[in-house]
Amino acid sequence: MAPRDKLTLPTLSALPSSNRLPATHPAASRTLSRLSRPALLTLVQEWLKTSNQTTCAPYLGGGETEEDTTYSVARSLEELREAYRELQERKGGKKEIVERILEGDWRHGVSLRQLAMADAQYLLDHPTSQRWAALKLVRVSTTAEGDTERPLPRFHAPTFLRNLQQEIGSMAKAHYNLTRMASLPIILLRICIYESPYSSQVSMTKKASTQILGASTTLYLAFPDNTPCVYVSLAGSAGQSNSGDGKSLRKLVIDALPKAFSRPRERYALKPTSLSAKSLAALVALRGPGRSNAAAGGWSIFADGTIEQSPLTGSAPASTWMPNNNEDKENAGITGQDKGSQKRRNVFDEEAEKQQKKRRLIAQARFGPTHPKDSSACIERLEAQLEDPFSRSADAEEDELSAMPATTAPIARKGRRSTISILEDSTEDHTNEEEPESSKGWAPNVQMVFSGTDIFSGIRKLVESGAIDGKKMPGWMTGENAVSIGVVRNGRIRGNKGSGF
């Protein structure tokens, strides 16, 4: 009698890290092929550590070579460690490393934790591969008055993952992997969602070709230390697709995040902060535990300790914070002959140098004393929609009236209004003869998009070169509001709804 297949039942538990995908699965080769050769060799040495053998154990045997493979089976972990050390010492391509992993040392399959470690290594090697949005954890309306001053819940990884799995376990299966970043005070959580109601190794072996939806089902969450914010990777980043199923699964996880933080009679929600960037360092600088959250741009002198007094002080600072120009120090030791040559310089050149120095000092006052190369808050895209009404002077209106022919009758207020005015004031009552104060001018639909490596550093260079007037430039162009998308009204920008979600 032939043995019966093992029975697999649907469960609500998460996928174990020891579950293995077949080495021939496309997801295994695709994930490993993204890494460089040094990163692959470093990752394999991490897999071969004794502490990781429960989830990353290689295929070991008696040292014989099987018929269907070209790689011999290693006898021990030390033998494998020595073999990969030799590969580190000599040159070569990464293709031979990937083939040895999948066809030799891990021919029995690659575990989910190994794939998660490979993805985390790629993210550390390419910090700008993902685009992140900062969300703020806020307390939902409470009944007691003193609840608003209570501290927010502390992020405890086991409790959070258990609550999150309870919310999404009935919809899909997910694998979780936590990584502590060494360069930033951040705990990185990788969530890989699988379209399967089963969590056993048998189900992954039989239906591995249809379980993984693709890279769009992988979601990254970053939890900074001592900060009521969560950084979420946006859909459409590098290596992620925008399929309908992937968006639905991502929305399922994002909607479950505030529920995982909540407790009975203590509910929380995630609020957009209108800030997104490709660099986690920029989000930490602008939405992190430091003092620069509310002191960006020119206000950074009060956050980094350059000025000791409060910005609310009415008097000017006792000592100026602007650095002295090095040219002034060098001019103190110039000899008489050199002074005579300087006096013969062109007056135009002297005026140009004076204006350049003035523009540089204005840029320092508007953007802060930090050099653009030393700034970690690099925003790659800034979107601003201008909704200020277009102001027209009285002289311009009189010139238009005088230029009209004498037979032309004046335009009546009660006549047919323009389409723009109808769209703007569709919710207002237009039966009165006098128009409200807000409808005296029309607001053009203007949307400004700045794109580049570092937006505010580029605008600072334009101010220093004289292309932009640093005195008349609005404050939202200096980055002092620390937002990447918003609406400008009355010269001030405020966060726009739906900053990425």
Side-chain angles (χ1 to χ4, degrees):
M1 182 176 179
R4 299 177 60 182
D5 294 339
K6 294 182 179 180
L7 185 62
T8 302
L9 298 177
T11 62
L12 298 179
S13 61
L15 291 173
S17 297
S18 58
N19 283 9
R20 295 181 180 272
L21 286 178
T24 57
H25 196 279
S29 59
R30 182 176 64 247
T31 303
L32 296 178
S33 299
R34 295 196 304 169
L35 299 177
S36 61
R37 178 185 172 93
L40 279 172
L41 295 174
T42 303
L43 186 63
V44 170
Q45 292 293 345
E46 187 71 21
W47 292 348
L48 294 176
K49 289 184 177 180
T50 307
S51 58
N52 295 329
Q53 292 310 299
T54 56
T55 56
C56 307
Y59 185 79
L60 300 177
E64 68 278 1
T65 302
E66 298 181 358
E67 296 180 358
D68 57 343
T69 60
T70 57
Y71 298 96
S72 60
V73 183
R75 295 185 178 89
S76 62
L77 291 177
E78 189 59 35
E79 182 180 348
L80 278 181
R81 294 186 187 120
E82 186 62 29
Y84 281 98
R85 288 194 198 101
E86 294 178 359
L87 291 176
Q88 285 181 338
E89 295 175 356
R90 66 180 179 88
K91 296 182 179 180
K94 66 178 181 181
K95 185 178 179 180
E96 62 172 338
I97 307 298
V98 175
E99 291 179 352
R100 171 157 188 158
I101 291 174
L102 299 179
E103 299 178 8
D105 301 326
W106 279 272
R107 68 190 73 182
H108 60 308
V110 183
S111 66
L112 297 181
R113 185 165 184 264
Q114 288 177 283
L115 295 178
M117 294 172 67
D119 272 349
Q121 184 65 39
Y122 179 81
L123 186 59
L124 295 177
D125 295 340
H126 304 80
T128 59
S129 60
Q130 299 286 332
R131 187 167 186 84
W132 305 83
L135 303 179
K136 186 177 181 181
L137 188 67
V138 295
R139 193 185 303 273
V140 183
S141 57
T142 56
T143 56
E145 297 180 356
D147 287 350
T148 57
E149 299 180 358
R150 294 176 57 186
L152 294 176
R154 183 176 63 90
F155 175 72
H156 186 252
T159 305
F160 176 80
L161 293 182
R162 184 180 67 250
N163 297 339
L164 184 62
Q165 178 59 29
Q166 291 178 356
E167 296 293 334
I168 67 176
S170 59
M171 302 291 183
K173 286 294 173 289
H175 174 256
Y176 308 96
N177 184 73
L178 288 169
T179 304
R180 181 73 182 186
M181 300 186 65
S183 58
L184 294 172
I186 285 177
I187 297 178
L188 186 65
L189 173 61
R190 175 186 178 270
I191 304 176
C192 190
I193 308 172
Y194 293 81
E195 190 185 18
S196 173
Y198 310 103
S199 59
S200 63
Q201 177 62 45
V202 178
S203 63
M204 300 197 68
T205 304
K206 289 186 177 181
K207 299 181 180 180
S209 59
T210 59
Q211 279 183 354
I212 301 178
L213 293 178
S216 62
T217 58
T218 301
L219 179 67
Y220 296 94
L221 302 177
F223 299 92
D225 296 344
N226 304 322
T227 305
C229 291
V230 181
Y231 310 148
V232 183
S233 62
L234 297 178
S237 302
Q240 296 188 7
S241 61
N242 289 328
S243 61
D245 295 337
K247 287 184 178 180
S248 300
L249 292 175
R250 290 174 62 90
K251 187 178 184 301
L252 172 67
V253 176
I254 293 174
D255 292 342
L257 291 180
K259 300 177 183 178
F261 280 108
S262 301
R263 293 181 294 181
R265 297 181 300 276
E266 194 171 326
R267 299 300 177 183
Y268 299 93
L270 290 177
K271 178 182 178 182
T273 61
S274 301
L275 177 64
S276 62
K278 288 186 177 181
S279 174
L280 284 174
L283 295 181
V284 171
L286 300 177
R287 296 289 188 276
R291 301 178 61 186
S292 57
N293 290 345
W299 303 99
S300 60
I301 59 175
F302 299 97
D304 55 16
T306 305
I307 298 298
E308 297 296 337
Q309 64 187 31
S310 171
L312 301 178
T313 305
S315 59
S319 59
T320 177
W321 61 271
M322 291 185 180
N324 295 328
N325 194 359
N326 295 330
E327 297 177 359
D328 297 337
K329 297 181 179 179
E330 295 176 358
N331 292 337
I334 296 178
T335 60
Q337 184 178 359
D338 296 334
K339 290 182 179 180
S341 61
Q342 287 184 356
K343 291 180 180 179
R344 290 191 297 268
R345 289 187 305 177
N346 195 338
V347 179
F348 177 78
D349 296 337
E350 293 180 358
E351 185 65 22
E353 291 180 2
K354 183 178 178 181
Q355 293 297 328
Q356 183 179 3
K357 181 179 178 180
K358 183 179 179 181
R359 291 193 299 266
R360 186 167 58 252
L361 295 178
I362 292 175
Q364 290 178 355
R366 298 301 304 273
F367 293 89
T370 304
H371 195 272
K373 295 182 179 180
D374 302 332
S375 177
S376 59
C378 298
I379 304 299
E380 301 83 9
R381 186 177 179 87
L382 174 63
E383 300 181 13
Q385 183 176 357
L386 306 182
E387 295 188 357
D388 287 337
F390 184 76
S391 59
R392 299 171 59 188
S393 60
D395 296 338
E397 294 181 357
E398 292 179 359
D399 294 341
E400 291 183 2
L401 293 176
S402 60
M404 294 175 60
T407 57
T408 303
I411 300 177
R413 290 286 185 179
K414 296 183 180 180
R416 181 180 178 181
R417 306 186 68 204
S418 63
T419 306
I420 297 177
S421 301
I422 294 175
L423 292 176
E424 288 179 351
D425 304 330
S426 59
T427 59
E428 297 181 2
D429 186 12
H430 303 294
T431 57
N432 298 332
E433 295 184 2
E434 296 182 2
E435 294 185 3
E437 184 70 20
S438 59
S439 62
K440 287 186 177 181
W442 63 277
N445 187 10
V446 179
Q447 184 176 4
M448 302 180 65
V449 179
F450 301 87
S451 180
T453 306
D454 190 355
I455 297 301
F456 300 113
S457 296
I459 297 178
R460 176 173 182 163
K461 292 180 180 179
L462 292 177
V463 173
E464 294 178 351
S465 63
I468 298 178
D469 191 350
K471 293 183 178 180
K472 298 181 179 180
M473 180 181 58
W476 59 269
M477 292 183 63
T478 65
E480 63 183 27
N481 298 95
V483 294
S484 60
I485 180 173
V487 178
V488 179
R489 293 175 183 172
N490 298 325
R492 296 184 178 182
I493 191 171
R494 61 180 183 179
N496 192 15
K497 293 183 180 180
S499 56
F501 291 91

